[in-house]
Amino acid sequence: MEILEYVLLAVLLVAAAFIIVAVLLQKSNEDGLSGTIAGGAETFYGKDKSSHADRALYKWTLIASIIFAIAVLAVFVIQPDYAKSYDLDSWQDIVNSSYQHLFK
């Protein structure tokens, strides 16, 4: 089970990094205020001229997002239930011993 957790965490990290990079590389669909003033990209020929790379980036971003969501759900399902393995007194002892050096 421990190996599966590490594999899923690696998948999460790779998918998250890919999503961040892919979203930053995608072109914006809006021209902002400059497009409104200049009237650019609102003609018949200017609409929907996204390149093949933009469409591929969108598709791979969607796939990476789905993989990321599935990996998050899998990690949630396989994680141990710490509430069942420790009682309240044990949790207080763990918390007190872990953060005791901060309150000296």
Side-chain angles (χ1 to χ4, degrees), residues 6 9 14-15 18 21-22 26 35-36 41 45 50 52 54 56 74 76 78-79 81 88 92 96 101-102:
Y6 288 129
L9 290 176
V14 170
F18 180 80
V21 171
Q26 290 179 7
T36 305
Y45 298 109
S50 60
H52 178 69
D54 288 335
F76 178 75
I78 68 168
Q79 74 180 355
D81 190 7
L88 184 59
Q92 288 176 346
N96 290 337
H101 68 281
L102 296 175

Side-chain angles (χ1 to χ4, degrees), residues 5 13 16-17 22 30 36 51 56 58 62-63 65 75 79-80 99 103:
E5 289 176 15
L13 287 174
E30 300 177 2
T36 305
S51 68
Y58 174 76
L62 184 64
I63 291 169
S65 303
V75 167
Q79 74 180 355
Y99 298 110
F103 301 109

Side-chain angles (χ1 to χ4, degrees), residues 84-103:
K84 290 182 180 178
S85 58
Y86 296 109
D87 60 347
L88 184 59
D89 294 330
S90 299
W91 272 109
Q92 288 176 346
D93 293 340
I94 291 170
V95 170
N96 290 337
S97 65
S98 298
Y99 298 110
Q100 194 172 27
H101 68 281
L102 296 175
F103 301 109

